[in-house]
Amino acid sequence: MASVDSTGLSVSGRLRSGDLLHIGLILVLLLGAWGVGGLEVSTGKVSSIEAMNGSTVLLPCTYSSCIGIKNLYFNWKYNDNGTFLKLCEAEIPTEKVEPKVHVFHERVEFVGSSKTNNISILLWNITFEDEGEYTCFARNPKEKNRNHSAIFTLIVVDQMKEVDNTLTVIIVSVLGGVIGLVILIMVIKAVVLHVLHKGNEKTKECLVSSSGNDNTENGLSGAKADNKATPKA
């Protein structure tokens, strides 16, 4: 028979509740660790690109996994109004081993490498019909077939838009004007200080010369007065 505490609750029941709580916490931690180290694919910081009709574009994609890979499967697909057309696919046996890529589109070229976890492709001589969403997909059997995908959007244009640099030119011009004004003020200040310094030196020279002349004249006057005051023998 289960013991009962002062509150009337079964001790064994409380123990079972505590065990369930611990199990739940362990599962959450395990799932969190699994999610952090799981497979991820990425098309980079920019998920779209504008390209001119007739040019060649790179559709970037890389994969990462803290656990590692084994027989990693990947493919590229194009979303053609809801119909996904497979462009290429391959399987990477293990890390640093290059895959044998099967290409299903005549203008697609695989340019990635397992040495850099890169599964990017090139699309040659694009047309307006190539505009749309491209999906990079990967699946890792080593992580119980965990899979992940990323979408890259291609926009095809007749001509590239001209970048309006008016604001940049205005900012650079203002900064240049301010810097030039500061330099001009510094030069004028230096010239004025130099002129004032020269003027002070000349003033000092004049004062010294005048003082010397006054002393000489006072000396001569005193000598004459002494001569006049001397009595005749």
Side-chain angles (χ1 to χ4, degrees):
M1 181 176 178
S3 60
V4 179
D5 61 5
S6 60
T7 60
L9 296 175
S10 170
V11 174
S12 61
R14 290 199 304 173
L15 288 174
R16 284 196 296 272
S17 298
D19 291 340
L20 290 174
L21 178 61
H22 291 157
I23 292 171
L25 288 173
I26 291 171
L27 288 174
V28 169
L29 291 173
L30 287 174
L31 289 173
W34 184 264
V36 170
L39 174 71
E40 287 189 1
V41 295
S42 172
T43 57
K45 294 181 179 179
V46 180
S47 60
S48 65
I49 187 174
E50 284 190 3
M52 285 186 62
N53 181 32
S55 64
T56 298
V57 295
L58 173 71
L59 305 181
C61 187
T62 57
Y63 64 87
S64 62
S65 173
C66 294
I67 299 172
I69 65 165
K70 186 176 181 180
N71 298 326
L72 176 77
Y73 171 81
F74 72 88
N75 66 43
W76 274 94
K77 290 182 179 180
Y78 170 62
N79 185 359
D80 184 13
N81 295 322
T83 302
F84 287 89
L85 306 177
K86 187 180 291 184
L87 304 178
C88 69
E89 67 177 356
E91 192 173 278
I92 304 175
T94 185
E95 296 178 13
K96 312 301 180 184
V97 176
E98 298 299 342
K100 293 181 180 180
V101 182
H102 302 284
V103 179
F104 308 108
H105 194 290
E106 60 182 4
R107 290 184 289 113
V108 168
E109 178 185 356
F110 178 75
V111 292
S113 173
S114 61
K115 295 177 181 178
T116 55
N117 296 353
N118 192 332
I119 49 177
S120 304
I121 61 174
L122 279 180
L123 185 59
W124 292 85
N125 193 26
I126 62 172
T127 65
F128 290 104
E129 286 74 20
D130 294 323
E131 183 172 287
E133 294 182 345
Y134 292 79
T135 302
C136 175
F137 171 86
R139 182 178 63 243
N140 188 15
K142 192 174 182 178
E143 300 178 56
K144 296 183 179 180
N145 285 325
R146 176 186 174 91
N147 62 75
H148 194 243
S149 61
I151 296 175
F152 191 79
T153 304
L154 173 63
I155 303 169
V156 183
V157 295
D158 260 336
Q159 58 183 5
M160 300 303 292
K161 296 178 181 178
E162 294 184 3
V163 179
D164 188 2
N165 294 324
T166 304
L167 182 59
T168 303
V169 172
I170 292 173
I171 293 173
V172 171
S173 300
V174 171
L175 287 176
V178 171
I179 293 171
L181 181 61
V182 170
I183 293 173
L184 180 61
I185 291 172
M186 292 177 67
V187 170
I188 293 173
K189 181 180 178 181
V191 171
V192 170
L193 290 175
H194 180 70
V195 171
L196 291 175
H197 182 68
K198 287 291 185 180
N200 289 335
E201 287 183 351
K202 289 183 178 179
T203 303
K204 288 179 180 178
E205 290 177 0
C206 291
L207 290 174
V208 170
S209 300
S210 299
S211 179
N213 292 333
D214 291 341
N215 290 335
T216 303
E217 290 176 357
N218 291 333
L220 292 175
S221 300
K224 290 179 181 179
D226 291 341
N227 289 335
K228 289 179 179 179
T230 303
K232 293 183 180 178

